[in-house]
Amino acid sequence: MVRLTLIARVIDGLPLAEGLDSDKDPEIDQYKNQAKSLFKKFASQPQQQARMSVESGKYVFHYIIESGVCFLTLTDKGYPKKLAFQYLEELYGEFGRLYGTQVDTVARPYAFIKFDTFIQKTKKLYMDTRTQRNLAKLNEDLSEVHSIMTRNIAEVLGQGEKLDNMTKMSSALASESKQYSSRARDLHRQALIRKYVPLAIVVVVVLLVLWVRAKFY
């Protein structure tokens, strides 16, 4: 079963369209965040496999990258890989026909949200794997689908997450170092005040007494 569909520009991860869910599933939000992390990784490391399946828990992400656009869907683990990629190919064909020349010019997210109508219509055709149409597609000899690599979400995002964590740790250490430096300066200033202010008061009092004596006596 197709659970989620997202389309994004590869160069910067900008979301272009999405298959809107009629029934909101809080669990899917977690996978939507993972999908966005995948887009972020594709943007930072453009040399990616053009087609891949990525396992995550009880679901699998399938994606294709064509003409600078990533078409991604999330399906149940038992959903046939052939159908998932044929579904994405259909989306790519129609999206390219309608918006192919506009992809590089848009700046706002979900500029092609109206494409959801086609996504929903196409998704319905692929929901039931036992229909005659889908059984015929499953029987087609698609040798390229068999060669598509399957990886785990931790493998795909792992390196990027480590780099992000290292950056966060580095920023935290730098911030702590600045705070420590500032506190050290404050403590040093307070120590100087405690050490020299009493002496300065004594000196001032003595000088005042000497001045009074010289003035009036």
Side-chain angles (χ1 to χ4, degrees), residues 111-145:
F112 310 120
I113 196 62
K114 289 182 179 178
F115 192 65
D116 171 60
T117 304
F118 183 81
I119 292 175
Q120 297 299 340
K121 183 175 70 173
T122 308
K123 186 166 76 171
K124 284 178 183 176
L125 297 176
Y126 284 88
M127 292 300 277
D128 188 352
T129 60
R130 297 165 298 177
T131 63
Q132 187 174 352
R133 174 186 181 277
N134 288 335
L135 287 173
K137 285 184 175 293
L138 285 171
N139 289 328
E140 290 177 12
D141 183 19
L142 298 175
S143 55
E144 69 274 11
V145 172

Side-chain angles (χ1 to χ4, degrees), residues 13-59:
L14 181 75
L16 302 174
E18 177 181 333
L20 301 174
D21 300 321
S22 54
D23 52 328
K24 290 289 183 181
D25 183 349
E27 183 186 34
I28 295 301
D29 288 337
Q30 170 194 345
Y31 291 93
K32 190 178 290 188
N33 289 332
Q34 286 186 351
K36 290 176 180 177
S37 295
L38 286 171
F39 293 147
K40 182 180 175 183
K41 185 173 180 68
F42 298 160
S44 63
Q45 298 178 14
Q47 299 302 319
Q48 297 290 334
Q49 294 281 340
R51 282 162 170 69
M52 187 182 286
S53 296
V54 181
E55 294 181 343
S56 180
K58 59 184 181 180
Y59 298 112

Side-chain angles (χ1 to χ4, degrees), residues 57-118:
K58 59 184 181 180
Y59 298 112
V60 183
F61 290 105
H62 305 280
Y63 75 79
I64 65 173
I65 295 176
E66 293 286 356
S67 304
V69 179
C70 181
F71 299 83
L72 178 145
T73 189
L74 179 75
T75 69
D76 297 311
K77 244 182 185 175
Y79 190 82
K81 196 173 185 178
K82 276 185 181 181
L83 292 183
F85 280 98
Q86 288 184 333
Y87 167 66
L88 293 174
E89 289 287 354
E90 284 201 40
L91 297 186
Y92 159 58
E94 185 66 7
F95 187 86
R97 186 182 70 79
L98 294 173
Y99 309 114
T101 59
Q102 303 174 47
V103 168
D104 294 333
T105 63
V106 297
R108 62 185 176 87
Y110 301 105
F112 310 120
I113 196 62
K114 289 182 179 178
F115 192 65
D116 171 60
T117 304
F118 183 81

Side-chain angles (χ1 to χ4, degrees), residues 122 155 189 193 217:
T122 308
E155 287 180 76
R189 194 180 300 114
I193 289 170
Y217 298 100

